[in-house]
Amino acid sequence: GAVVSQHPSRVICKSGTSVKIECRSLDFQATTMFWYRQFPKKSLMLMATSNEGSKATYEQGVEKDKFLINHASLTLSTLTVTSAHPEDSSFYICSARDRRLSGNTIYFGEGSWLTVV
Amino acid sequence: GIQVEQSPPDLILQEGANSTLRCNFSDSVNNLQWFHQNPWGQLINLFYIPSGTKQNGRLSATTVATERYSLLYISSSQTTDSGVYFCAVDFSGAGSYQLTFGKGTKLSVIP
């Protein structure tokens, strides 16, 4: 099946700094990727849709300037949490659709645990 | 608004038992998937099932789109089945692939 990889899997950063999370589709091209956020013991909430070669589409309530998304190639999308604060600590997970497969199946990366201290 | 409701929220099973997890959704769907989230956070895709029935080993799923629900069956449960099971739905008629997740069912299988 399709493979989506995220890096880093865990990151700790100091308040006020920025941290970048990468999402790669390893064996297929993804014109669209998605970024989700999950708080402990909660469900996944869609943050934004990352479109290759154009601006990301953010969900209501998600700060565009805080969560910068760049989809520079057909296999890579990045999420940068700028000026991080402890309340940004969360599990961030990306997904992408493999168009080669029937059924429009969405595959998820392994996720990235962010802790802001 | 658009809703995805899962039940039960928590489930404890003895190893070897069978279980049924339910997902109700509030509108017609373009895509429905079941996921298993392991203790490390990774989401494992179990089924893509906007309608009909599928089986994969001890797991099977059925979606009745006209009645807006889906069921995930786990037979002969094992401790490795523990984790959170999510139902996720794409409500967009255009197939945006943006998934709306239910709150999940936390399954604990005890030896």
Side-chain angles (χ1 to χ4, degrees), chain B residues 13-108:
Chain B
L13 293 177
Q14 198 78 37
E15 196 169 26
N18 303 327
S19 64
T20 300
L21 282 57
R22 186 178 181 100
C23 173
N24 292 332
F25 43 93
S26 60
D27 205 344
S28 57
V29 299
N30 187 63
N31 174 15
L32 186 148
Q33 290 183 237
W34 283 96
F35 295 93
H36 175 216
Q37 188 170 40
N38 64 24
W40 298 271
Q42 186 169 9
L43 281 170
I44 308 299
N45 179 55
L46 298 177
F47 293 104
Y48 164 82
I49 188 165
S51 64
T53 298
K54 290 185 178 179
Q55 181 162 4
N56 183 6
R58 296 182 295 104
L59 302 180
S60 63
T62 296
T63 298
V64 183
T66 53
E67 297 186 22
R68 299 183 181 171
Y69 73 88
S70 183
L71 302 174
L72 177 68
Y73 306 95
I74 304 174
S75 63
S76 303
S77 59
Q78 300 175 359
T79 56
T80 52
D81 295 333
S82 297
V84 182
Y85 289 81
F86 286 104
C87 167
V89 177
D90 173 11
F91 289 103
S92 168
S96 68
Y97 315 113
Q98 295 175 347
L99 296 177
T100 299
F101 281 76
K103 293 184 178 181
T105 292
K106 183 178 179 181
L107 175 64
S108 300

Side-chain angles (χ1 to χ4, degrees), chain A residues 90-111:
Chain A
S90 189
F91 185 62
Y92 295 87
I93 190 166
C94 70
S95 71
R97 172 180 169 249
D98 187 350
R99 293 173 178 260
R100 302 170 304 173
L101 301 178
S102 63
N104 303 324
T105 304
I106 305 295
Y107 288 91
F108 282 79
E110 308 96 325

